[in-house]
Amino acid sequence: MNDIIRTPEEIAARVKALESILIEKGLMTTQMVDRLVEIYETEVGPQLGAKVIAKAWSDPDYKARLLEDATEACKELGISGLQGEDMVALENTDDVQHTVVCTLCSCYPWPVMGLPPNWYKEPQYRSRMVREPRKVLAEEFGFSVPESKEIRIWDSSSEMRYWVLPQRPAGTEGWTEEQLAELVTRDSMIGVGDAKAAS
Amino acid sequence: MGGERLEERRREIEELLCGLPGERDGERSFDEPWQIRAFALAVGAHRAGQYEWAEFQSALIDSIKGWEDDATSASTWSYYEHWVTALESVLGEHGAIETVSLDAKTREVLATPPNRDHHTAHLDPIAVDPAIRH
């Protein structure tokens, strides 16, 4: 076999090239690959977002740094792997719910949040979320945002990746960061759901 | 979204994975998106009838063994690099891909920046659904 040592970019490109050739030749379809990926999509990447959010909930100084510069604040926790793109964390409040889409492709802060779910890449999610977010959140995600809250939709691009800092669930006073991290869901970081309630 | 169905699909795949070398505690872990893509391609191509799973299995064993035997190997251990090597090898044997065209396609991908159409940072919300306060 070839002994060429490849850089991560080269090997990622090679895998993409393999997939394109197989699809062009009609030997596979994108849907087939997506369906297989879907099974393991929650297991890709370090998924450190929950840790970051739990720390922000517990430590006001860290939260301030996170909102100021999410890329740097993540580095503090040893999270890297970002290829130069900037990240912005958006804080949900009693008045505002933030939700993230990528209107053109599937830009997503995977070093922090793992692999994007398949629905995130679907054109329907991308376009409808911009047109009628309140309705999509309620109908597709069972997430009712009260009328009294404004919904802001953010477009992640390869230059600027957004993710959401959900509100800390009630009844979690005195919880450790580890306990809090358990309540953070991927959907809450995309902004299509709340963090889990304390039980 | 069909949690049980997903579990069932997963079990079917895990059966394939049992006999593979280099598994650590039977645990799947992917560190980067290309790894799961490569993983899915190998399982998918087998399911699409491109090769027998045993062929992939032995190609993977060969690639890992080659790396282990090569005492001077400067490359560090990467399970999924062997996975990609094995996939290229079985697909090549069955004439599904040619190294020359794969090399060319890889160069093409490398020359195209990721998300090439989406390089502009949007610094404000692209849509707002205002609050209604009575």
Side-chain angles (χ1 to χ4, degrees), chain A residues 96-158:
Chain A
V96 179
Q97 167 69 43
H98 298 285
T99 301
V100 181
V101 294
C102 168
T103 52
L104 283 183
C105 30
S106 56
C107 298
Y108 192 79
W110 69 264
V112 179
M113 284 167 58
L115 206 69
N118 267 344
W119 55 256
Y120 186 81
K121 298 184 266 181
E122 282 165 11
Q124 211 205 353
Y125 168 75
R126 303 186 329 228
S127 58
R128 262 194 86 198
M129 191 56 101
V130 175
R131 277 198 327 269
E132 41 182 17
R134 209 174 290 270
K135 210 170 157 197
V136 176
L137 289 175
E139 287 175 4
E140 304 294 328
F141 295 93
F143 178 46
S144 309
V145 180
E147 274 192 348
S148 59
K149 260 193 196 191
E150 178 174 304
I151 302 175
R152 290 184 198 158
I153 308 298
W154 299 80
D155 186 16
S156 266
S157 67
S158 60

Side-chain angles (χ1 to χ4, degrees), chain B residues 7-67:
Chain B
E7 272 310 302
E8 200 176 302
R9 276 155 55 194
R10 186 182 175 124
R11 267 197 302 278
E12 286 167 21
I13 293 176
E14 299 290 340
E15 278 173 27
L16 286 178
L17 304 176
C18 290
L20 293 180
E23 274 286 311
R24 281 147 287 187
D25 309 310
E27 191 185 294
R28 252 11 19 253
S29 80
F30 304 96
D31 296 322
E32 302 208 21
W34 66 264
Q35 297 175 344
I36 196 173
R37 221 61 207 168
F39 171 80
L41 283 177
V43 175
H46 157 66
R47 289 188 158 182
Q50 292 303 307
Y51 47 76
E52 294 297 321
W53 191 249
E55 295 173 72
F56 178 75
Q57 197 176 351
S58 73
L60 185 59
I61 291 168
D62 286 349
S63 176
I64 293 173
K65 194 162 185 320
W67 180 82

Side-chain angles (χ1 to χ4, degrees), chain A residues 21-29 32, chain B residues 44-45 48 50 91 95-97:
Chain A
I21 291 176
L22 292 173
I23 288 166
E24 278 163 24
K25 289 195 167 186
L27 302 175
M28 301 181 76
T29 62
M32 282 172 65
Chain B
Q50 292 303 307
L91 287 172
I97 55 157

Side-chain angles (χ1 to χ4, degrees), chain B residues 93-132:
Chain B
E93 279 165 29
H94 286 268
I97 55 157
E98 285 140 22
T99 307
V100 182
S101 53
L102 181 60
D103 286 346
K105 194 79 183 177
T106 304
R107 280 193 299 273
E108 200 181 296
V109 173
L110 280 169
T112 314
N115 309 310
R116 63 176 157 177
D117 298 324
H118 209 194
H119 267 298
T120 325
H122 294 168
L123 303 178
D124 296 305
I126 51 161
V128 172
D129 192 325
I132 301 169

Side-chain angles (χ1 to χ4, degrees), chain A residues 15-35:
Chain A
V15 172
K16 196 176 255 188
L18 264 169
E19 180 170 344
S20 314
I21 291 176
L22 292 173
I23 288 166
E24 278 163 24
K25 289 195 167 186
L27 302 175
M28 301 181 76
T29 62
T30 308
Q31 288 77 7
M32 282 172 65
V33 188
D34 281 348
R35 271 174 62 84

